[in-house]
Amino acid sequence: MVDILILMFSAILIENYIFSKFLGICPFLGVSDKPSTAVGMGFAVTFVMTISSAVTYGVYYLVLEPLGVEYLQTIAFILIIAALVQFIEMFLRKYIPALYSALGIYLPLITTNCAVLGAAMLNIQEGHNFIESVVYGFSSAIGFTLALVIFAGVRERMALSKPPKAFRGVPIALVAAGLIAMAFSGFLGISFN
Amino acid sequence: MNGKKILSQFKEGLLTNNPVFVQLLGMCSALAITTTVINALGMGLSVTAVLICSNVIISLLRKIIPKQIRIASYIVIISGFVTVVEMLLKAFAPAISKSLGLFIPLIVVNCIILARAEAYASRHSVLPSAIDGLAMGVGYTVAVVVLAFVRELFGSGTILGITVLGDWYKPVGMLINPAGAFITLGCIIAAVQKFLMKKQDRDFKKEGNEGKVNG
């Protein structure tokens, strides 16, 4: 139990996907204009990442490993994620339309979000068991959401300020992200061993 | 296909439409692997190889792949080449493969490759697509090497592992950290934006003057 909590804590704060692992930077810069869209994207990613962590774990240990074709991991995982996203989209549209209208526009973008594929592959690389994989997928996504929401708040303020002309848009956003990353690197000092 | 067109394709890839600095694609890998120049070179060459191969194959199949499932087909083609590159690196350059780690398989979801497939290779014949792949790949490589050069030189005082700045230099450790990656990339993009804005102004003025002469 303690191990699981440590895994969660480190996935959310210490090894934050945006600020220390650099996974999912594209949606981070793309949809962090407003806190509301950031929350929507965050939930969609959390949803998909938790399920995809479980499914890719099953496919790797039940199909790829027994057949001895571990090198097909990349192709298999990206196809699973693409199919899963499509499936979740259809399922939500049919059965939970309210959730679909909230997450709908973000779902197709998730296929090419490297955080989802990254989590699936890190689970295999780190040798997580099934429970750990699901918890890791879920908590990394929570860390991603946290980063997205914090940054959206910063960006809202930034829209009112006047940086030099050349820095307008993405450059100033990157510099701000760097400052937040500096704050997050403070968590690196925390160790459980 | 003449020399002038090839030259303009390279100019686009390197500067005016640089995948990292202008199109802002493939930022994850650009930020993550630029702690040393050698890593950046390895990543740049891997991306270039995948980009050329996938552009050629997608351009060859552009009339066969049905429109509705084109993205899925592109992803399968790209991930095939990524797996090839991954296995080659593991066999022949294990050190680079180890330090790039996760980011080699993640080339699959690197938006540069999918973007070029969709925007260029699916509409042009094989040779221009191959050249586009090379030009964009070189543009990406140059971008990550520039970023890594700044970070490695000032962050640890070395280039390609050789100490360049002597004992008197105290390395700025922050540049090697994630925070340094964000800030350095932000500053470089700002510099490129400044340059492009100046160029636009100049072109605009030139056109304006010519207009006056003609009028």
Side-chain angles (χ1 to χ4, degrees), chain B residues 77-138:
Chain B
I77 294 168
I78 294 166
S79 54
F81 285 116
V82 170
T83 309
V84 171
V85 167
E86 196 187 344
M87 290 166 97
L88 284 175
L89 275 184
K90 238 182 220 157
F92 295 108
I96 290 187
S97 159
K98 207 165 180 190
S99 60
L100 293 178
L102 196 60
F103 284 90
I104 289 292
L106 282 181
I107 297 176
V108 177
V109 282
N110 192 323
C111 350
I112 297 173
I113 295 168
L114 204 58
R116 288 333 282 175
E118 171 75 7
Y120 201 92
S122 61
R123 285 176 208 155
H124 293 79
S125 53
V126 178
L127 194 61
S129 298
I131 292 170
D132 179 72
L134 181 64
M136 285 295 160
V138 171

Side-chain angles (χ1 to χ4, degrees), chain B residues 32-51:
Chain B
I33 50 89
T34 47
T35 45
T36 61
V37 174
I38 193 87
N39 276 357
L41 268 177
M43 187 69 188
L45 293 180
S46 310
V47 169
T48 310
V50 174
L51 199 49

Side-chain angles (χ1 to χ4, degrees), chain A residues 128-159:
Chain A
H128 290 156
N129 64 29
F130 183 72
I131 305 281
E132 282 169 351
S133 297
V134 176
V135 169
Y136 181 74
F138 174 75
S139 33
S140 312
I142 294 292
F144 175 82
T145 311
L146 181 72
L148 218 60
V149 173
I150 291 177
F151 193 58
V154 173
R155 249 185 142 169
E156 244 186 356
R157 289 291 177 93
M158 229 154 54

Side-chain angles (χ1 to χ4, degrees), chain A residues 39 49-50 60 73 108 122 124 135 142 165 182:
Chain A
V39 170
M49 223 151 117
T50 312
Y60 187 83
Q73 188 194 3
L122 278 173
I124 304 298
V135 169
I142 294 292
K165 223 173 171 185
M182 227 183 269

Side-chain angles (χ1 to χ4, degrees), chain A residues 23-91:
Chain A
L23 292 169
I25 302 289
C26 296
F28 173 67
L29 290 174
V31 297
S32 58
D33 289 345
K34 276 186 290 177
S36 58
T37 50
V39 170
M41 183 70 184
F43 273 122
V45 168
T46 310
F47 200 65
V48 172
M49 223 151 117
T50 312
I51 298 174
S52 78
S53 292
V55 175
T56 49
Y57 178 90
V59 168
Y60 187 83
Y61 287 107
L62 298 176
V63 180
L64 296 181
E65 211 182 42
L67 292 175
V69 287
E70 287 97 338
Y71 61 87
L72 289 181
Q73 188 194 3
T74 315
I75 303 182
F77 281 11
I78 188 75
L79 284 179
I80 292 169
I81 290 167
L84 198 70
V85 168
Q86 196 79 48
F87 179 75
I88 291 173
E89 200 183 336
M90 287 184 322
F91 178 85

